[in-house]
Amino acid sequence: MLQVSIYRYNPETDAEPRMQDFQVDTGGKDVMVLDVLEQIKAQQDSTVTYRRSCREGVCGSDGLNINGKNGLGCITPLSETVRDNKLVIRPLPGLPVVRDLVVDMSLFYAQYEKVQPYLQNNTPAPAIERLQSPEDREKLDGLYECILCACCSSSCPSFWWNPDRFIGPAGLLQSYRFLADSRDTATEERLSRLDDPFSVFRCHGIQNCVNVCPKGLNPTRAIGHIRNMLLSRAA
Amino acid sequence: MVKVVTSFGRSGVSDWLVQRVSAVILLAYFLFVAWVLLAGVSYTEWKGLFEATWMRVFSLMALLSLGAHAWIGMWSVLTDYLTERMLGSKGNVLRILAQLLTTLALFVYVVWGVQILWGY
Ligand code: SF4
Ligand code: SF4
Ligand code: FES
């Protein structure tokens, strides 16, 4: 029997959060963490609350803190995380809890919105698509794949302390995705909005973000590119 | 863009650059001083060294670097932990107080250091 401990909290009725223990029979199979949650919800306690949708690592809704490390429940197999037969599931750290494992992502989205995550081009639209060379297109690899699961930003100490002023790894990765796009013409405006001591420069290169990204992306490298763009613009 | 008035250079890029450059100067200075000390130095040699203008300028550079470096470093630590977000409105009061103390201490050290360098 797998020993599962789940964070429970209803801010409307509970004075404080508590951990609730469950015993789960996985039938000896190496299932995903999300499967364990589903099994608990179906068979033991239907009030356990969490988000999930695609159950295949595409939608980004089940970012969880699993045995102390952020990740997606649906693509984290027990064999990868369970030690001593224990599974501890908490909500993503640093964000306000709405209920149990569901967090309020408003701050995270507000930072995403700040980087204006859409293509901006003020030249007249061509009759066909705006073309891009294969080399230029390649520059977007490792950037566009982000699914906004918030595993990275909610593992970043700088984001914990200043989630309203530091854009955080997810937002900055997307910021660079548009800074690096050959079709985007708003580079200068984008950079001038980042040139303060918080938005980019609160990153201290701890690389927690790289360590947890379930898509294998590297926000720290993207942040380094932004910093270099800001430096060469200032020089 | 986030508005900031109490940081050293008020822009992320300049703070970042000053932090790096001052770190390099400090490293060079302390390595040099350590090298002189380890090589064995008498009182007269030590005094002679600090009478040379280049050494005074080098020391002053290190002192100013220390001031800037500490200001930027302390500012970023204080704005992480002593904030309204972490401590409520008393966070702001505490942070401004701590910032004033830091600035005062740095000012005293720099003036005192100049006095030592050119006073003997
Ligand atoms: S590298 Fe930067 S963005 Fe990533 S976790 Fe560390 S401080 Fe946060
Ligand atoms: S960079 Fe990775 S961890 Fe961060 S939000 Fe995107 S997919 Fe999730
Ligand atoms: S349920 Fe969609 S990413 Fe896990």
Side-chain angles (χ1 to χ4, degrees):
Chain A
M1 286 287 214
L2 180 68
Q3 308 291 321
V4 187
S5 177
I6 297 180
Y7 177 101
R8 304 297 310 267
Y9 184 45
N10 179 349
E12 280 156 28
T13 57
D14 303 345
E16 51 185 46
R18 69 200 155 88
M19 298 302 289
Q20 187 179 354
D21 293 331
F22 298 92
Q23 318 253 321
V24 177
D25 181 9
T26 54
K29 275 185 286 182
D30 186 16
V31 295
M32 300 295 173
V33 171
L34 179 63
D35 296 324
V36 173
L37 282 175
E38 301 272 75
Q39 197 173 329
I40 290 172
K41 194 170 176 73
Q43 299 171 358
Q44 304 192 32
D45 186 343
S46 62
T47 66
V48 173
T49 307
Y50 51 88
R51 286 195 187 101
R52 74 109 174 85
S53 177
C54 70
R55 57 104 185 93
E56 55 183 359
V58 174
C59 70
S61 46
D62 64 341
L64 298 165
N65 185 270
I66 307 162
N67 279 345
K69 187 178 175 191
N70 289 357
L72 296 173
C74 61
I75 55 169
T76 306
L78 293 182
S79 60
E80 200 178 274
T81 174
V82 172
R83 300 286 171 267
D84 299 327
N85 204 35
K86 281 201 188 64
L87 180 63
V88 181
I89 309 177
R90 297 171 184 273
L92 291 177
L95 297 170
V97 171
V98 176
R99 177 81 56 93
D100 298 348
L101 302 173
V102 175
V103 290
D104 179 354
M105 306 259 282
S106 310
L107 278 165
F108 177 79
Y109 291 137
Q111 294 299 350
Y112 180 52
E113 193 180 354
K114 263 198 212 164
V115 308
Q116 309 194 338
Y118 40 84
L119 196 85
Q120 296 178 39
N121 188 322
N122 47 21
T123 59
I128 52 164
E129 299 93 331
R130 291 190 194 275
L131 296 177
Q132 192 170 39
S133 70
E135 294 75 41
D136 280 338
R137 168 61 189 75
E138 242 170 55
K139 292 183 186 148
L140 309 183
D141 289 343
L143 302 172
Y144 77 90
E145 300 93 327
C146 171
I147 57 173
L148 294 175
C149 63
C151 286
C152 55
S153 293
S154 65
S155 71
C156 170
S158 290
F159 188 74
W160 294 341
W161 314 142
N162 286 296
D164 49 346
R165 295 189 280 187
F166 173 50
I167 290 181
L172 290 170
L173 187 86
Q174 286 321 293
S175 175
Y176 186 61
R177 182 246 170 278
F178 290 96
L179 285 168
D181 195 317
S182 62
R183 299 162 298 180
D184 190 280
T185 55
T187 309
E188 177 53 34
E189 293 82 350
R190 290 179 187 281
L191 288 175
S192 63
R193 277 193 306 271
L194 297 172
D195 186 17
D196 62 87
F198 280 101
S199 303
V200 176
F201 287 91
R202 263 308 138 120
C203 169
H204 300 309
I206 314 157
Q207 306 219 2
N208 279 5
C209 50
V210 183
N211 188 32
V212 298
C213 176
K215 293 304 213 180
L217 308 178
N218 190 329
T220 312
R221 193 188 306 140
I223 294 168
H225 287 312
I226 299 179
R227 194 163 47 215
N228 288 343
M229 289 177 92
L230 284 167
L231 281 168
S232 48
R233 169 176 168 273
Chain B
M1 179 153 149
V2 183
K3 279 238 163 36
V4 170
V5 290
T6 51
S7 82
F8 185 77
R10 311 228 184 127
S11 115
V13 182
S14 81
D15 274 11
W16 190 86
L17 255 187
V18 171
Q19 196 72 333
R20 294 306 176 282
V21 172
S22 59
V24 171
I25 294 176
L26 283 172
L27 184 71
Y29 187 76
F30 284 119
L31 282 180
F32 174 71
V33 170
W35 173 70
V36 171
L37 287 177
L38 287 177
V41 63
S42 67
Y43 174 76
T44 27
E45 283 164 352
W46 184 252
K47 192 159 185 292
L49 179 64
F50 276 88
E51 264 159 17
T53 309
W54 69 267
M55 185 57 191
R56 288 181 173 171
V57 171
F58 191 20
S59 302
L60 181 64
M61 253 167 73
L63 194 60
L64 293 177
S65 296
L66 188 75
H69 198 85
W71 184 325
I72 296 171
M74 286 303 291
W75 182 81
S76 48
V77 173
L78 294 176
T79 49
D80 266 353
Y81 299 110
L82 294 188
T83 59
E84 193 165 0
R85 217 188 153 71
M86 305 284 285
L87 305 169
S89 54
K90 75 169 186 287
N92 287 336
V93 179
L94 281 176
R95 190 179 69 254
I96 300 293
L97 261 175
Q99 236 154 42
L100 277 175
L101 281 178
T102 312
T103 323
L104 189 70
L106 291 175
F107 183 74
V108 169
Y109 280 137
V110 168
V111 172
W112 191 13
V114 170
Q115 224 177 27
I116 292 172
L117 284 172
W118 270 274
Y120 292 90

